[in-house]
Amino acid sequence: LSWAISNQKLKMTTYSIGVDLGGTNLRIAAVDEQAQLLEKVTLGTQVTLGRDRVMDDMGAAIRRIADKYERKASLAGIGIGVPGIIDMQTGMLRESPNLPGWADYPVRAEIEKRLGTRVILENDANAAALGEKWLGAGRDFDDMAMITLGTGVGGGLILGGRIWHGMTGMAGEFGHIAVEPEGHPCGCGSRGCAEQYASATAVVRMAREAIATGGASGLLRTTSSDPEFSAKAVYNLAIQGDEAAKEIFRGVGRALGIVLAALVNGLNLPIYVIGGGVASAWEAFSPSMFAELQQRSMVYAAAAPPVPAVGAREASAQLEPRRSGKTIITRALLGTDAGLYGAARLALQGG
Ligand SMILES: [Zn+2]
């Protein structure tokens, strides 16, 4: 009997639990080593209910999943993607614009207390990059960089298949590379950061600026309080041919082109992936992005694929140049699941 049990245990599949703690949603997935999604849960927990409530709900949901698979699979670990700056040593969330009231909160210790087991904490943009590397646009590459265009602009660097943290865990802040030396003030304390020109928040601000200067009647209708939604409305106007809206996305493309030129010149990686909600506006910003990049990066110009792809369908075709050593700039493939899969992957990798 004991042989039968241990044999059964050997055959058990290994899985991990990934958590994406967003500013609005809390999502949890159980994923096995073969990248098979076992379960995906979205908790309607409102961050405004406070961090204790969010932590309690998260802990309970993780425990429910762990209990459910206890006899069927072996849990490798739990990975949690958190928006904001994380102290990797202490597991403290230092600062998070999307989670007000969570500054200097010991997220890792609090969740470990509720679960009675170790968890791995990671910045959400880093987790998204690892997810795209594992199962998305970067799956055929060991090294890649990702830029995530959401409410802010995040970034993640993958080297040798693992997240590059840098000395203090803060590597990959591509959104704070300056694209306008004396430009718009940024929440980070600097000016003219990419985040001020290529995020959903920036798209809305630039739309308001265009309205203020007059002659942008189409944009008047787009103002609303939700940056992600409003940025989408500006994009819809742009694809309908509204000149003011098109110019905003040309600006997004120029900002991204400058950031990409810095990354390509500095890192010479085989692939750069653009994700996040604003990446859906690829058709509106990518022509000016590629033009700017081509002009500003000799490294890119020397290794650019013949014709930059436009649109998601071309993304797989664009992966072709890897055999000829061409630099690939492409859209992310996993959408909002990238961070969730990345968090699960972290736990499978053991950090
Ligand atoms: Zn900044």
Side-chain angles (χ1 to χ4, degrees):
L1 181 69
S2 66
W3 180 85
I5 289 166
S6 63
N7 195 40
Q8 193 188 2
K9 268 189 180 161
L10 281 173
K11 279 183 185 167
M12 263 175 124
T13 173
T14 300
Y15 81 107
S16 70
I17 295 176
V19 181
D20 182 17
L21 172 58
T24 44
N25 272 323
L26 177 59
R27 301 187 312 138
I28 304 173
V31 186
D32 75 13
E33 279 174 312
Q34 280 74 46
Q36 206 72 40
L37 182 69
L38 305 176
E39 186 141 353
K40 189 157 83 172
V41 185
T42 299
L43 297 185
T45 304
Q46 296 292 310
V47 171
T48 50
L49 293 175
R51 60 191 194 195
D52 292 344
R53 173 72 187 277
V54 173
M55 295 300 276
D56 287 346
D57 285 4
M58 189 199 313
I62 292 171
R63 190 173 283 282
R64 267 199 304 277
I65 293 175
D67 287 348
K68 181 172 170 183
Y69 292 96
E70 197 184 3
R71 288 162 172 278
K72 295 175 215 159
S74 146
L75 180 60
I78 298 158
I80 304 177
V82 182
I85 297 169
I86 297 157
D87 187 316
M88 301 298 290
Q89 303 271 297
T90 61
M92 298 263 287
L93 184 59
R94 280 194 192 161
E95 210 184 302
S96 177
N98 293 334
L99 299 172
W102 290 57
D104 297 319
Y105 182 62
V107 177
R108 190 170 66 203
E110 286 293 328
I111 193 72
E112 285 178 347
K113 194 170 79 184
R114 283 162 174 82
L115 293 170
T117 180
R118 296 294 307 259
V119 302
I120 298 166
L121 216 58
E122 186 55 80
N123 167 270
D124 59 348
N126 284 348
L130 187 63
E132 285 290 333
K133 189 267 160 282
W134 188 28
L135 302 169
R139 63 188 177 275
D140 294 330
F141 302 87
D142 290 329
D143 309 318
M144 72 164 239
M146 181 164 168
I147 303 175
T148 304
L149 313 175
T151 311
V153 173
L157 182 58
I158 305 293
L159 296 178
R162 304 183 85 95
I163 294 168
W164 178 264
H165 287 108
M167 182 179 67
T168 59
M170 290 171 71
E173 289 292 344
F174 307 140
H176 299 284
I177 291 176
V179 299
E180 293 276 2
E182 301 305 326
H184 200 268
C186 184
C188 73
S190 183
R191 304 184 75 90
C193 295
E195 180 163 294
Q196 299 305 321
Y197 299 91
S199 63
T201 314
V203 167
V204 174
R205 190 200 75 238
M206 293 186 289
R208 293 213 175 98
E209 287 168 359
I211 292 166
T213 60
S217 55
L219 287 172
L220 259 174
R221 279 173 283 142
T222 65
T223 45
S224 117
S225 57
D226 180 356
E228 297 264 8
F229 180 77
S230 308
K232 194 174 187 303
V234 177
Y235 169 66
N236 287 338
L237 266 184
I239 54 171
Q240 285 160 28
D242 183 278
E243 197 45 49
K246 280 165 71 179
E247 181 52 30
I248 287 170
F249 280 99
R250 281 196 287 268
V252 169
R254 284 192 296 271
L256 286 173
I258 293 171
V259 171
L260 284 168
L263 295 181
V264 172
N265 285 345
L267 298 168
N268 191 20
L269 301 172
I271 181 166
Y272 303 80
V273 178
I274 316 280
V278 179
S280 312
W282 182 265
E283 279 171 62
F285 69 72
S286 66
S288 63
M289 177 184 79
F290 280 114
E292 196 75 29
L293 171 61
Q294 182 86 24
Q295 201 187 339
R296 288 180 184 268
S297 171
M298 58 170 182
V299 180
Y300 182 75
V307 182
V310 173
R313 246 173 249 111
E314 282 91 331
S316 59
Q318 215 194 355
L319 295 177
E320 191 64 24
R322 71 177 177 272
R323 288 180 201 98
S324 48
K326 299 295 186 191
T327 305
I328 298 163
I329 315 286
T330 192
R331 288 180 63 171
L333 297 178
L334 301 179
T336 52
D337 284 346
L340 203 51
Y341 278 110
R345 179 64 177 160
L346 262 176
L348 287 169
Q349 278 185 338

